[in-house]
Amino acid sequence: MKAGVIGLLFSATVLAQEAAATFGPLTQWVPRTWNGANYACKCHPGDYCWPKPIEWSNLNATVGGNLRVNIPIGAPCHNRFEGPLGTVNTYNAAQCAAVTAGFPDEQFQIEHPTAGLWTYFTNDTCRPTTNPTDSCTLGYYPALYITAKTIGHIQAGINFARKNNLRLIIRNTGHDFLGRSVGWGSLVINTHRFKSISTTNKWNGPGSYKGPAITAGAGVQAFEALQHLNSFKPPRIMVTGECATVGIAGGLVQGGGHGPLTNFYGFLADTALQFKVITADGTLRTANAQTNSDLFWALRGGGPAAFGVIVEATYKTFNDLPSSGINLDINLSTNTNETLYWEAVRKFHSYSNNFVDNGLYVYYEIGPVPLNLHVHPIVGINKTLPQLQAIVQPLFNDLNALGVGYTTSSQTFSSFYALYNAMFEGEMAGNSALTGGWTLARTDVENNHPSIIEAFKTVINAGSFIVGHMWSAGHGLPRNEWGNIAINPKFRNVVDKLITIVPVSGDAPLAAKEEAQNRLTNVVDGALRAASPNGASYINEADPFQPNWQDAFFGTNYPRLLQIRKKYDPNGVFYSVSTPGTEQWEQIETGTRLCKKL
Ligand SMILES: Cc1cc2nc3c(=O)[nH]c(=O)nc-3n(C[C@H](O)[C@H](O)[C@H](O)COP(=O)(O)OP(=O)(O)OC[C@H]3O[C@@H](n4cnc5c(N)ncnc54)[C@H](O)[C@@H]3O)c2cc1C
Ligand SMILES: *[C@@H]1O[C@H](CO)[C@@H](O)[C@H](O)[C@H]1NC(C)=O
Ligand SMILES: *[C@@H]1O[C@H](CO)[C@@H](O)[C@H](O)[C@H]1NC(C)=O
Ligand SMILES: *[C@@H]1O[C@H](CO)[C@@H](O)[C@H](O)[C@H]1NC(C)=O
Ligand SMILES: *[C@@H]1O[C@H](CO)[C@@H](O)[C@H](O)[C@H]1NC(C)=O
Ligand SMILES: *[C@@H]1O[C@H](CO)[C@@H](O)[C@H](O)[C@H]1NC(C)=O
């Protein structure tokens, strides 16, 4: 795959000079042309500037022997892994059985150093199989990885990637929907081992907040932090995503981080007090309200893996609260026909503003085949079940009046932690899909609701799933704190955050991939954008190839984010798609080489 794909149409020397003039003389660039345009690319396996074995072995020594050539997670089911760094015999029946069973399990995949839980952006080139002669190739999986155990290991990885102009990927849990924790021919720094947790009752850093806080290493996952906080008397909680296995100090906070507590305390990023972060120059820095405050701002919603590698993060914590929840299912088996089903969806969804104004968080899914609405759960934090039922009863009255069949159940808990563990359903790994998404603004739900439901129908008819999250990040957080973080200010007026999911296999023919991407961008998300023009897009759960991504993701904060990116990472040591300052970057040659367009 590295053989001369493209003939150079002009002198490599001229191109190298041009690249050096643009990006500085220190790094070496690989000139390529692709679809008639000229590019300067990072150094990938086989390139003249790819580090020599002795350089890799020096790096290995610096990182305590924790550098490895990557072997994809599915390899034990295949006779051979044929990678750009050589061929390895990989078949192992016991390991194959384990990986086959574990592939749909999030934590199983998280424990593998380079797996991507949503597999589309790995290119699905080495899935578990019952036929060992099936090929296993690198696809878009990384070439090598460092299992970082110290700050020095991360610094060594960053410095090595910068000096050798390698593609660098930071990988925590591998949850990223957009493929940001994998990348062809790259070097990975895996942060999963950074599991330290400490707490204080009285934060004494800069800023006016003096309450309790948690400091978590880069590898800490939501369930670990919540479990730790629950052991206190009285039990404590913090803002996390609804998914318990997502990391709390990696991509989540850098995108913003929404969850069931967002109605009370805003995004996870709103609760951040401090980061320890290593920037592109390899320097470990503290970022808080006083020191490197620009970086502190950018790390809170400015996009993942764009400004540095977070080593640890400190967040506010809060007293846990009694909570209750209600589930609701509507589908054609409980219903007469499709018209009535959509009427029920319309009724349900028309309560978005009402629900978030009452502090409720609602997680729901709408699936195309069979048509179903799965609301699981409607969460009332700090609400008794009767209080929650009183808020939701008008919806049930409407459904009854329509004659809609549904099933419902409810539960009440002494803590939000207990509800979180009992009512949120586990999620699966190993799916291949393109994911997109949009958010619905309060005003659009108020003024344009019929169009929103028409857009839902368009999405479903186009074969996409919808995952909805009703919350308001402006509900509990004081208005004077709304502007403190880098997230698109439009998010304060959002009442429903939608993910769209278009299934497509990572090894589908290129034409099928193009068709799916086009359907996602233009039909599915296009319908939602048109129905909620005041909405925005969430960088962790959206289509990175949507039009005007800068505005959709960051709105009026984009120019400042761009400046901060240029200050801390002027040469693009870090790259993740559609983050500030990546306009010129492309993965050319069918998703492989990472290059800057000249
Ligand atoms: C099942 C599921 C449920 C989800 N639920 C929610 C939800 O409720 N709320 C919500 O807001 N989001 C949710 N998400 C999206 C989630 O926020 C993103 O997938 C997020 O990027 C995951 O971060 P991670 O660090 O765990 O994963 P990774 O895939 O390892 O990393 C994601 C991105 O962050 C970068 N990164 C990771 N660690 C670091 C670090 N230490 N320093 C710098 N960059 C780093 C990576 O390079 C990559 O770009 C969900 C995702 C999934 C798959
Ligand atoms: C790094 O060193 C360890 C320990 O000596 C060794 O097992 C591993 O193969 C080395 N990695 C590479 C990429 O050579
Ligand atoms: C990725 O998959 C596409 C087919 O979907 C294929 O054409 C391409 O060669 C693959 N690339 C790699 C590096 O696996
Ligand atoms: C669907 O069901 C509703 C309510 O029972 C009924 O009024 C309507 O005529 C039905 N529509 C079709 C197409 O069957
Ligand atoms: C929880 O509810 C009680 C009583 O209704 C109220 O006094 C308290 O402020 C609420 N707590 C939060 C965090 O909203
Ligand atoms: C349809 O609804 C019934 C009862 O409400 C439920 O048991 C079933 O799981 C639902 N089916 C789907 C596909 O959601």
Side-chain angles (χ1 to χ4, degrees):
M1 76 192 68
K2 66 199 176 228
V5 186
I6 308 290
L8 289 180
L9 298 173
F10 54 95
S11 154
T13 323
V14 170
L15 221 156
Q17 282 165 355
E18 199 182 328
T22 315
F23 311 125
L26 289 177
T27 46
Q28 314 195 56
W29 294 86
V30 178
R32 306 291 285 192
T33 59
W34 173 249
N35 287 342
N38 299 329
Y39 293 85
C41 303
K42 296 216 172 205
C43 299
H44 295 96
D47 289 337
Y48 76 94
C49 48
W50 182 253
K52 306 287 169 287
I54 178 72
E55 296 170 88
W56 284 111
S57 98
N58 289 342
L59 171 66
N60 199 5
T62 316
V63 299
N66 289 303
L67 176 72
R68 293 289 180 282
V69 170
N70 182 36
I71 297 179
I73 182 169
C77 295
H78 302 255
N79 288 333
R80 275 178 296 283
F81 163 55
E82 319 226 14
L85 304 176
T87 296
V88 191
N89 291 329
T90 48
Y91 186 78
N92 178 309
Q95 284 175 21
C96 174
V99 75
T100 302
F103 208 69
D105 180 73
E106 287 187 328
Q107 196 63 30
F108 183 91
Q109 293 228 23
I110 289 166
E111 299 297 339
H112 187 276
T114 62
L117 275 55
W118 284 71
T119 64
Y120 181 82
F121 288 103
T122 72
N123 224 27
D124 272 334
T125 46
C126 190
R127 289 182 81 93
T129 173
T130 51
N131 181 2
T133 63
D134 284 353
S135 79
C136 169
T137 59
L138 191 65
Y140 302 158
Y141 283 112
L144 296 108
Y145 65 91
I146 297 167
T147 303
K149 293 175 183 166
T150 67
I151 286 171
H153 295 167
I154 299 180
Q155 288 173 312
I158 295 174
N159 290 339
F160 190 82
R162 187 186 63 250
K163 285 178 190 147
N164 292 291
N165 203 17
L166 306 183
R167 177 160 186 195
L168 177 65
I169 302 278
I170 315 305
R171 199 270 191 182
N172 181 20
T173 66
H175 264 285
D176 202 89
F177 284 118
L178 289 71
R180 289 175 173 135
S181 35
V182 296
W184 181 80
S186 63
L187 171 66
V188 159
I189 299 174
N190 180 304
T191 59
H192 185 59
R193 300 296 175 92
F194 280 66
K195 289 287 192 184
S196 67
I197 297 181
S198 64
T199 56
T200 174
N201 286 327
K202 201 171 181 304
W203 166 250
N204 65 1
S208 56
Y209 181 79
K210 297 296 166 209
I214 183 171
T215 298
V220 173
Q221 295 169 258
F223 72 89
E224 295 166 317
L226 290 171
Q227 192 172 26
H228 187 89
L229 292 173
N230 186 251
S231 68
F232 286 78
K233 290 199 168 49
R236 308 195 62 80
I237 45 173
M238 65 178 291
V239 178
T240 68
E242 55 79 24
C243 175
T245 55
V246 167
I248 59 167
L252 186 71
V253 65
Q254 293 173 85
H258 64 85
L261 290 165
T262 291
N263 288 306
F264 287 74
Y265 310 114
F267 297 102
L268 173 62
D270 283 312
T271 69
L273 296 165
Q274 178 169 289
F275 299 102
K276 296 276 172 64
V277 55
I278 305 169
T279 43
D281 60 0
T283 308
L284 175 67
R285 299 170 200 269
T286 297
N288 60 34
Q290 225 160 55
T291 309
N292 296 311
S293 58
D294 54 353
L295 189 56
F296 182 50
W297 179 78
L299 288 169
R300 291 178 292 163
F307 304 96
V309 179
I310 294 175
V311 175
E312 63 170 47
T314 303
Y315 300 107
K316 297 176 186 177
T317 66
F318 311 94
N319 282 331
D320 202 349
L321 298 162
S323 299
S324 52
I326 294 176
N327 298 323
L328 169 67
D329 273 285
I330 300 176
N331 61 43
L332 294 185
S333 77
T334 52
N335 250 296
T336 44
N337 61 39
E338 213 171 304
T339 315
L340 192 54
Y341 168 83
W342 280 110
E343 196 47 23
V345 171
R346 187 181 70 77
K347 276 294 177 199
F348 159 73
H349 197 269
S350 72
Y351 282 91
S352 310
N353 292 355
N354 177 275
F355 286 168
V356 302
D357 287 346
N358 280 290
L360 306 190
Y361 170 91
V362 182
Y363 180 91
Y364 69 93
E365 297 168 351
I366 301 179
V369 189
L371 264 183
N372 74 95
L373 170 67
H374 181 62
V375 188
H376 209 108
I378 300 172
V379 180
I381 297 170
N382 204 19
K383 289 197 166 32
T384 62
L385 189 54
Q387 284 171 330
L388 177 61
Q389 276 163 338
I391 297 165
V392 181
Q393 193 53 46
L395 166 62
F396 285 110
N397 294 345
D398 286 347
L399 296 178
N400 294 339
L402 281 172
V404 174
Y406 56 83
T407 53
T408 180
S409 62
S410 61
Q411 276 180 282
T412 185
F413 301 90
S414 60
S415 66
F416 168 71
Y417 181 67
L419 180 145
Y420 186 79
N421 287 328
M423 293 195 79
F424 283 94
E425 297 173 304
E427 282 151 315
M428 280 175 65
N431 295 320
S432 183
L434 280 168
T435 53
W438 188 249
T439 57
L440 305 179
R442 166 184 301 277
T443 47
D444 296 323
V445 170
E446 224 161 71
N447 304 325
N448 208 20
H449 199 250
S451 314
I452 289 175
I453 299 305
E454 285 310 308
F456 278 22
K457 288 183 196 169
T458 303
V459 171
I460 296 298
N461 289 335
S464 172
F465 293 76
I466 296 176
V467 180
H469 311 68
M470 294 177 190
W471 42 248
S472 165
H475 179 75
L477 192 76
R479 190 173 278 266
N480 64 359
E481 294 183 28
W482 288 6
N484 287 353
I485 67 171
I487 201 162
N488 189 339
K490 284 187 172 172
F491 278 106
R492 300 299 175 189
N493 301 315
V494 161
V495 295
D496 193 0
K497 206 224 77 65
L498 305 170
I499 304 176
T500 50
I501 300 175
V502 172
V504 51
S505 166
D507 62 359
L510 288 176
K513 287 182 169 179
E514 257 167 53
E515 185 280 325
Q517 179 68 56
N518 179 51
R519 184 154 38 96
L520 176 73
T521 305
N522 299 313
V523 180
V524 170
D525 286 1
L528 296 172
R529 284 194 298 269
S532 187
N534 297 301
S537 198
Y538 179 49
I539 184 131
N540 285 345
E541 299 172 325
D543 172 18
F545 306 110
Q546 68 191 287
N548 305 319
W549 58 263
Q550 295 91 338
D551 187 49
F553 289 138
F554 306 106
T556 50
N557 287 334
Y558 192 74
R560 188 172 165 209
L561 284 168
L562 194 55
Q563 269 180 357
I564 298 172
R565 177 67 184 264
K566 283 182 180 153
K567 175 175 167 187
Y568 288 99
D569 183 19
N571 297 316
V573 172
F574 301 113
Y575 171 80
S576 57
V577 64
S578 300
T579 52
T582 56
E583 283 80 1
Q584 269 182 286
W585 290 97
E586 275 176 53
Q587 286 171 247
I588 66 164
E589 298 170 20
T590 327
T592 56
R593 287 176 184 277
L594 178 63
C595 309
K596 253 187 160 182
K597 199 170 191 174
L598 295 174

